[in-house]
Amino acid sequence: MTNTFPQALTIAGSDSDGSAGMQADLHTFFARGVYGASVITACVAGNSYGIHASVPMPTDFIDQEFADLAADYHIRAAKTGMLADSELINDVVKNYQQADFGPLVVDPVIMTKHGNQLLEESAFQTLRTQLLPLATVLTPNFFEVEKIAETTIKSDDDMVAAAHRMQQMGAKNIIAKGSHALPDQTMVRDFVLLENGDSFWLSQPYHATDRVNGTGDSLSACITAELAKGTPMRQAITLAKAFVNTAIGQPIEVGHKFGPINHWAAQNRDYDDIR
Ligand SMILES: Nc1ncnc2c1ncn2[C@@H]1O[C@H](COP(=O)(O)OP(=O)(O)OP(=O)(O)O)[C@@H](O)[C@H]1O
Ligand SMILES: Cc1ncc(CO)c(N)n1
């Protein structure tokens, strides 16, 4: 039987240190028992200190990557990561609309943990008008919520309002990730707004560690992997939050600064309690 094994796709940039971007996505797909394919959109050279060079892929090459996957594989869910500029966003939108790759998780990668900007400011409007309407799930971090919704978040009410604004822009389900840079923080809280209007806060313990590179990539990749297996939306989101929290909670010693998270710890955990 051909193509019966669950397959997911990451449409993202390669980060040479393996902690984030496409590499974090593929680690996560593997950890959740899903085959991972990748459309590479850009390459960044970096390590746990920062990103030091970045090269976008030519759009005709990206077109060929999509065409080759569509001709052979059965992608059941896809996610986007680094898209660099308007030209790449428009190209990915065009290709995704032609393909039949299932639900789309949009991780609107704008800024890294080191403070490197991976999406040009001039592309924010393209992101809003072209990509958000395709998003089955949108997973902005605190900074990205403020940028996309064009607001300042000072309270829970502000976050709820921003999530509704992003849903009005066309994204169906939203996980607006809360801040984790507050003094004396003990919990991290993300606001979830589902397509049917249900909403809730997801809370997990805060871990005081610098080994947090690729948390957002892994969260969105875990949701993608679960959707590829047919896990219901609410369960996929809740499981992904637990997956990332487990991976942050047992750090591995790789790199000197913002190191990777521990996908093995997250892989080995039992998620049977999550419904
Ligand atoms: N120190 C921490 N302790 C616990 N949870 C954390 C911590 N840092 C991030 N998280 C969680 O990880 C998830 C990803 O959020 P985050 O805001 O880090 O995404 P991101 O900035 O897009 O990540 P990246 O760009 O590095 O992939 C969220 O659910 C967030 O609450
Ligand atoms: C390619 C790439 N995508 C995303 C991130 C962070 O989310 C990163 N560091 N590098």
Side-chain angles (χ1 to χ4, degrees), residues 12-15 17 19-23 42-44 51 81-82 107 109 111-114 118 213-214 216-217:
S14 160
D15 189 337
D17 84 349
S19 69
M22 164 175 293
Q23 285 82 354
C43 289
V44 306
I51 286 172
M82 177 184 178
D107 186 18
V109 171
M111 192 72 81
T112 71
K113 294 275 161 30
H114 331 89
L118 297 185
N213 226 18
D217 308 271

Side-chain angles (χ1 to χ4, degrees), residues 188-190 202-204 219 237-245:
V188 284
R189 295 167 71 240
D190 303 337
L202 268 181
S203 293
Q204 290 277 350
L219 181 86
I237 291 170
T238 308
L239 192 154
K241 176 82 176 164
F243 179 94
V244 171
N245 199 265

Side-chain angles (χ1 to χ4, degrees), residues 132-169:
L132 257 62
L134 296 185
T136 313
V137 186
L138 180 70
T139 63
N141 65 22
F142 190 77
F143 172 81
E144 290 155 355
V145 171
E146 292 193 327
K147 289 289 171 196
I148 295 169
E150 296 181 285
T151 187
T152 305
I153 310 291
K154 292 211 180 86
S155 66
D156 284 0
D157 285 351
D158 292 342
M159 190 61 123
V160 171
H164 280 94
R165 199 161 312 147
M166 291 184 286
Q167 200 174 52
Q168 279 153 17
M169 291 176 188

Side-chain angles (χ1 to χ4, degrees), residues 14 41-46 51-57 82 84 117-119:
S14 160
T41 55
C43 289
V44 306
I51 286 172
H52 305 113
S54 173
V55 183
M57 290 294 117
M82 177 184 178
Q117 190 155 339
L118 297 185
L119 183 71

